[in-house]
Amino acid sequence: MSDSCCDGNARKAQAGDCCAPDGNVMLLSCSGGSNVGQLANQACVELTQEGFGKIFCLAGIGGKLSGFVRSAKDVPRMVVLDGCEVGCAKAIFKEAGTLLRGYVVLTDLGISKNKDFARKREDIDQVKAAAKQASQAQV
Amino acid sequence: MQIKILGPGCPKCHKTEEVVREAVAEAGVQAEVTKVTNTMEIAAAGVFGTPAVIIDGDVKVVGKVPSKEQVKSWLGK
């Protein structure tokens, strides 16, 4: 919750728009053990740093921790990035009984999966653009 | 029954506390209602935003003010 008004942004609090994540897009990635898993994670990190949304823990949903699962159910907008068609993030949502929204598979964007863990700038930018598009579709 | 209302002090958080306390009173259930304002404690609950309501360890709502009827249904009334 580091960049939310809940951490003490009094101006926002006084305006009455504090805390509820209405303006925040929940960003989730599989963060898996390949270049595309790590690209997904990097895209979520950068989108958080740029203020587009807020990265959230997919592992907490996978562990069926109450706060994480409920947050995923209640948030107005989310983006879920899976690195490849194996679909681990998608499977986690199914297991947790949570509706999957804003879903993007990086290999569907034409990015090849490999184990070199190289994260090219152009690939990160492509993933970020796809994430923004997936989020906009929920407005 | 233990009820925690998570929120650092914004209007929506105050409203949530009001709704929960009214629902508890109207339902006539025995419950300890606590307001949690400490951001570290809020973060530890794993919620994406606030307000949030936790009843006996189960997070019931995140980022929204619940209706009184919703709260009563969580109380089993």
Side-chain angles (χ1 to χ4, degrees):
Chain A
M1 302 181 70
S2 60
D3 59 353
S4 84
C5 56
C6 301
D7 293 331
N9 185 330
R11 187 174 56 80
K12 274 192 176 179
Q14 285 163 6
D17 59 355
C18 175
C19 303
D22 300 350
N24 255 328
V25 179
M26 179 184 282
L27 302 170
L28 296 154
S29 74
C30 75
S31 307
S34 66
N35 64 321
V36 284
Q38 294 308 306
L39 270 173
N41 189 68
Q42 184 64 27
C44 288
V45 168
E46 292 188 14
L47 288 169
T48 300
Q49 290 171 334
E50 292 163 11
F52 176 77
K54 197 161 70 167
I55 196 167
F56 199 58
C57 297
L58 184 65
I61 301 170
K64 296 186 184 175
L65 302 182
S66 173
F68 291 86
V69 174
R70 177 47 60 190
S71 292
K73 286 178 176 173
D74 285 353
V75 74
R77 285 195 292 161
M78 67 165 63
V79 172
V80 182
L81 302 180
D82 253 327
C84 68
E85 66 280 358
V86 174
C88 300
K90 185 179 184 179
I92 283 172
F93 266 69
K94 187 179 178 185
E95 187 64 25
T98 304
L99 180 66
L100 184 68
R101 294 168 283 155
Y103 186 55
V104 177
V105 180
L106 273 57
T107 50
D108 287 350
L109 302 175
I111 302 171
S112 298
K113 181 179 179 179
N114 61 50
K115 294 285 184 179
D116 68 10
F117 298 102
R119 288 168 293 165
K120 294 179 193 161
R121 183 73 257 162
E122 64 201 59
D123 289 343
I124 296 169
D125 290 342
Q126 185 187 1
V127 175
K128 286 162 66 180
K132 287 180 179 176
Q133 195 175 3
S135 167
Q136 287 303 317
Q138 295 165 62
V139 176
Chain B
M1 185 178 286
Q2 297 273 344
I3 302 176
K4 288 184 180 178
I5 298 147
L6 276 49
C10 64
K12 285 183 178 177
C13 303
H14 289 309
K15 183 65 185 172
T16 298
E17 182 179 11
E18 186 183 309
V19 167
V20 169
R21 289 191 185 281
E22 282 179 12
V24 167
E26 288 178 19
V29 297
Q30 287 290 321
E32 183 187 340
V33 180
T34 312
K35 180 83 185 292
V36 178
T37 58
N38 180 288
T39 52
M40 295 306 291
E41 205 175 330
I42 292 170
V47 294
F48 188 65
T50 55
V53 177
I54 304 176
I55 299 180
D56 290 338
D58 190 29
V59 179
K60 295 294 188 184
V61 68
V62 176
K64 303 173 189 173
V65 179
S67 70
K68 204 186 293 183
E69 291 312 308
Q70 262 183 306
V71 178
K72 285 181 180 176
S73 72
W74 300 332
L75 301 173
K77 298 289 176 179

